[in-house]
Amino acid sequence: YDITEEEALKVLLSAKTKAEEMDVLVNIAVTDAGANLKAFIRMDASYLGSIDVAIKKAKTARYFNIDTGKLGEMTQPGGIIYNIELSNGGLITFPGGLPIKNKDNVIIGAIGISGGTIEQDRAIAIAAAQSILEL
Amino acid sequence: YDITEEEALKVLLSAKTKAEEMDVLVNIAVTDAGANLKAFIRMDASYLGSIDVAIKKAKTARYFNIDTGKLGEMTQPGGIIYNIELSNGGLITFPGGLPIKNKDNVIIGAIGISGGTIEQDRAIAIAAAQSILEL
Amino acid sequence: YDITEEEALKVLLSAKTKAEEMDVLVNIAVTDAGANLKAFIRMDASYLGSIDVAIKKAKTARYFNIDTGKLGEMTQPGGIIYNIELSNGGLITFPGGLPIKNKDNVIIGAIGISGGTIEQDRAIAIAAAQSILEL
Amino acid sequence: YDITEEEALKVLLSAKTKAEEMDVLVNIAVTDAGANLKAFIRMDASYLGSIDVAIKKAKTARYFNIDTGKLGEMTQPGGIIYNIELSNGGLITFPGGLPIKNKDNVIIGAIGISGGTIEQDRAIAIAAAQSILEL
C-alpha cells in the first residue's frame, strides 16, 4: 500500500484550499510510504525556511507513524527520547506532521505543513490527511 | 520577478500531462527565481533516485541560467569547467533541467525532470517550461 | 524586490563602522531576498567560527522573516518550535540576525552579525539594517 | 602574514571595478591565509551558482598555493592527481582562483572569481590580486 500520485495531489490541493480559507501562507509536503518526497508546493510569500521544515515534518511523521507534536512531547529535556531530532538527517518534532491513512486505516504516506502557527499547521494537516477518504 | 504558486502548478501539471502522453515515468521539480524548491510531484513507480536528480537539475538550471545538457558539454574531461558538479552541494549536468522564462523573457524559476531517457526528460522540460506562456 | 549590490555594500560598511565605534570584532554577512549570500566581510582577529554563524544568522532571519533572537525564544525546551535549529542545514536562533527592509517596508534581504556579545551583535545588525534607508 | 580587512576590501572592490570595465557579472570571494572566507560580494544578476564556485576557487587556490587553472591541468583523467576535486569538501580546478601575495611575495590569502568565461574570470582575478601592491 502506497499513496498514489493522484492521492498526493488531492492531499496537496486540499491543504492549499484549507490554508487559503484560514488565510495562512504555508509550505506543503507529502511523502509516500517509504518516507520519500512525493509532492510539494510552496504558497507565494510563505517562509523560505519552511520548505525544509515541511518536508522534515512529513518524513518524521512517517518515520515513526506519529503526529509530530506527540513525538515532541517525548523529546524534551528529561524526555524518554531526548534529542532524537539529531537522527535521520534532522527531525522536526512540533505539530504539523501527520501520517496519511487510507480507508482501511493503513498508513500510506505522510503530510507536513509549515508556515503558520503550530495550531494552524496542524489543523491544515488534519484536514488534508482526511481529504484522501473522499476519493 | 518570481514564479507564482499558480504558475508552478501549471508547469508541474503540464509536465505530468506530457510525460503521460509519452508514457514515461518521471519526477518533476520546479524552483523559484532564488533556486528554492517551489513545487514537486513524483509519478507512481518512477525512480526513487530521481527525486534528488530532478531537484538538482532544476537548481542547476537556475544557478547558471542554462539548459543542464548544455552545461554538461562544458564539464567533460578537458572541458572548460570540468568537475563543476562538485560545487553547490552537487550539480546535475545532463539534459532535463531548464530555466523557466515569462512572456518578457525574464527567468522566473526553473524546472527539472528525471526518470526517462535524457532526451525524454528534456522534451518534457521544454513542453512544461513553455506552458507558462499560455497562462 | 531584492537587495542590490550597492545596498549590500552600504549595509556591510555601516555594520563595520558601527562595530569599530563599539570596539567589537565581528563577521558580517548579507543575504538577498532568496536567502543566498550577497556580501560578507570579516574583521581582523574576529572569531573564525563566526564566519558560519554570521551567514547562518542572516539566512535564518530571511528564512523566517524574523529577528533571530525572537525566534530563539520559541525554540527553547518546552517552546512551540523546539529544535527547529536542526532544519535547513542548521539555523542560528540567538540575536544578531535581522531582515533588511526597504523604504516601503518590504523585506529585500537579511543581515547576520557574529563575534561580539549577543547584545552587541544585535545592536550592530539594527544599525546596519537601518542604514539602507539613507540611500 | 595574513591579509587584512582593508586589503581584502581593496581586492574585492578592484575586482568589482575590473568586472564592470569588462562588462561581466561575477561573484567575488577573498580568503585569508588560513583559507577561511574573508570577504565576498555578488554583482546583481550574476549567477547564483557562482557563489559557491567563487568561494571554492579561492579556497582551492590557497589550499595548494596555485592558479586553479594550472591545478586543473593535473586533475584530468590520466592526470597525476585525477579527481582531487573530491577532497576538501569540493575543489574547483578551472581558471578564476589565484593566491594573493604581498610586496615580499608571501602568500597572504586568495581570490576566486566566477560568473564570466574562464578567461574573463582569470583576468579579473589577476587584476584584483595585483591591486594589493598599490596599497
Side-chain angles (χ1 to χ4, degrees):
Chain A
Y1 298 108
D2 202 352
I3 194 167
T4 66
E5 182 188 5
E6 294 312 319
E7 289 171 327
L9 269 175
K10 169 75 174 173
V11 171
L12 204 71
L13 298 179
S14 296
K16 170 174 145 66
T17 300
K18 181 73 176 177
E20 287 165 353
E21 285 169 12
M22 294 172 64
D23 204 20
V24 188
L25 300 175
V26 296
N27 285 244
I28 305 160
V30 177
T31 69
D32 64 14
N36 299 300
L37 190 63
K38 184 76 181 180
F40 176 86
I41 190 82
R42 177 155 50 90
M43 292 173 73
D44 299 334
S46 63
Y47 296 129
L48 285 172
S50 287
I51 300 171
D52 191 50
V53 173
I55 293 173
K56 280 189 165 56
K57 279 184 183 176
K59 293 197 175 203
T60 300
R62 174 54 185 147
Y63 283 152
F64 299 103
N65 297 332
I66 195 169
D67 176 326
T68 51
K70 295 283 179 198
L71 191 67
E73 296 172 8
M74 297 180 272
T75 67
Q76 298 293 322
I80 54 177
I81 49 171
Y82 174 54
N83 262 350
I84 196 173
E85 289 91 344
L86 290 162
S87 70
N88 292 284
L91 300 177
I92 293 292
T93 58
F94 43 85
L98 280 182
I100 297 172
K101 297 177 181 177
N102 68 9
K103 288 170 183 171
D104 299 323
N105 215 34
V106 176
I107 294 176
I108 57 173
I111 183 166
I113 305 289
S114 177
T117 64
I118 55 174
E119 291 82 8
Q120 289 170 330
D121 290 348
R122 188 164 183 272
I124 295 166
I126 290 173
Q130 286 179 338
S131 72
I132 211 169
L133 304 179
E134 300 159 14
L135 278 180
Chain B
Y1 298 106
D2 202 352
I3 195 166
T4 65
E5 183 188 5
E6 295 311 318
E7 289 170 329
L9 270 175
K10 168 76 174 172
V11 170
L12 205 69
L13 298 179
S14 296
K16 172 174 144 65
T17 300
K18 181 73 176 176
E20 286 165 354
E21 286 170 11
M22 294 171 64
D23 203 19
V24 188
L25 299 175
V26 296
N27 285 246
I28 306 160
V30 177
T31 69
D32 64 14
N36 298 300
L37 189 63
K38 184 78 182 180
F40 177 86
I41 190 82
R42 177 155 50 90
M43 292 173 73
D44 299 334
S46 64
Y47 296 126
L48 284 173
S50 286
I51 300 172
D52 191 49
V53 173
I55 293 173
K56 280 191 165 60
K57 279 185 182 175
K59 291 197 177 202
T60 300
R62 173 55 185 145
Y63 282 154
F64 297 103
N65 298 332
I66 195 170
D67 176 327
T68 51
K70 294 284 178 197
L71 191 67
E73 295 173 10
M74 297 180 271
T75 68
Q76 299 294 320
I80 53 177
I81 50 173
Y82 176 53
N83 262 348
I84 195 173
E85 289 89 348
L86 290 162
S87 70
N88 292 284
L91 301 177
I92 294 293
T93 58
F94 45 84
L98 279 183
I100 298 172
K101 296 177 181 179
N102 67 10
K103 289 172 183 170
D104 299 324
N105 215 35
V106 175
I107 294 175
I108 56 174
I111 183 167
I113 306 289
S114 177
T117 64
I118 55 173
E119 291 80 10
Q120 289 170 328
D121 289 350
R122 187 163 184 272
I124 295 166
I126 290 173
Q130 286 179 338
S131 73
I132 210 169
L133 304 180
E134 299 159 16
L135 281 178
Chain C
Y1 296 108
D2 203 352
I3 194 167
T4 65
E5 183 189 4
E6 294 312 318
E7 289 170 327
L9 270 175
K10 168 75 174 176
V11 171
L12 205 70
L13 298 178
S14 295
K16 171 173 144 65
T17 299
K18 181 73 176 178
E20 286 165 354
E21 286 169 11
M22 294 170 65
D23 203 18
V24 188
L25 299 176
V26 295
N27 284 245
I28 305 160
V30 177
T31 70
D32 64 15
N36 298 301
L37 189 63
K38 185 76 183 181
F40 177 86
I41 190 82
R42 178 156 50 91
M43 293 173 74
D44 299 334
S46 63
Y47 295 127
L48 284 173
S50 287
I51 300 172
D52 192 47
V53 173
I55 293 173
K56 280 189 165 57
K57 280 186 182 175
K59 291 198 176 201
T60 300
R62 173 53 185 147
Y63 281 153
F64 298 103
N65 296 333
I66 195 170
D67 177 326
T68 51
K70 294 284 179 197
L71 191 66
E73 296 173 8
M74 299 180 270
T75 67
Q76 299 293 321
I80 53 177
I81 50 173
Y82 176 52
N83 262 349
I84 196 173
E85 289 89 347
L86 289 161
S87 69
N88 291 285
L91 300 177
I92 293 293
T93 58
F94 44 84
L98 280 183
I100 297 173
K101 298 178 181 178
N102 67 11
K103 288 170 184 171
D104 299 323
N105 215 36
V106 175
I107 294 175
I108 57 174
I111 183 167
I113 305 290
S114 178
T117 65
I118 55 174
E119 290 81 8
Q120 290 171 328
D121 288 350
R122 187 164 184 271
I124 295 167
I126 290 173
Q130 286 180 338
S131 73
I132 211 170
L133 305 179
E134 300 160 13
L135 280 177
Chain D
Y1 298 106
D2 201 353
I3 194 167
T4 65
E5 184 188 4
E6 294 312 318
E7 287 170 329
L9 270 174
K10 168 75 174 174
V11 171
L12 205 70
L13 298 178
S14 295
K16 171 174 144 66
T17 300
K18 181 73 176 177
E20 286 166 354
E21 285 170 12
M22 293 171 65
D23 204 19
V24 188
L25 300 175
V26 296
N27 285 245
I28 305 159
V30 176
T31 69
D32 63 14
N36 299 299
L37 189 63
K38 183 77 182 181
F40 176 85
I41 190 83
R42 179 155 50 91
M43 292 173 75
D44 300 333
S46 63
Y47 296 128
L48 285 172
S50 286
I51 300 171
D52 191 50
V53 173
I55 294 173
K56 281 189 165 55
K57 279 184 184 176
K59 292 197 177 204
T60 300
R62 175 54 185 145
Y63 284 152
F64 299 102
N65 296 333
I66 194 171
D67 176 327
T68 52
K70 293 284 178 196
L71 190 68
E73 294 172 10
M74 297 179 271
T75 69
Q76 298 292 322
I80 52 177
I81 50 172
Y82 174 53
N83 262 349
I84 196 174
E85 289 90 346
L86 290 161
S87 69
N88 292 285
L91 300 178
I92 292 292
T93 58
F94 43 86
L98 280 183
I100 297 172
K101 298 177 181 177
N102 67 10
K103 287 171 184 171
D104 298 323
N105 214 35
V106 176
I107 294 176
I108 56 173
I111 183 166
I113 305 289
S114 177
T117 65
I118 54 174
E119 291 81 9
Q120 290 170 328
D121 289 349
R122 186 163 185 272
I124 295 167
I126 291 172
Q130 287 179 336
S131 73
I132 210 169
L133 305 179
E134 301 160 12
L135 280 177

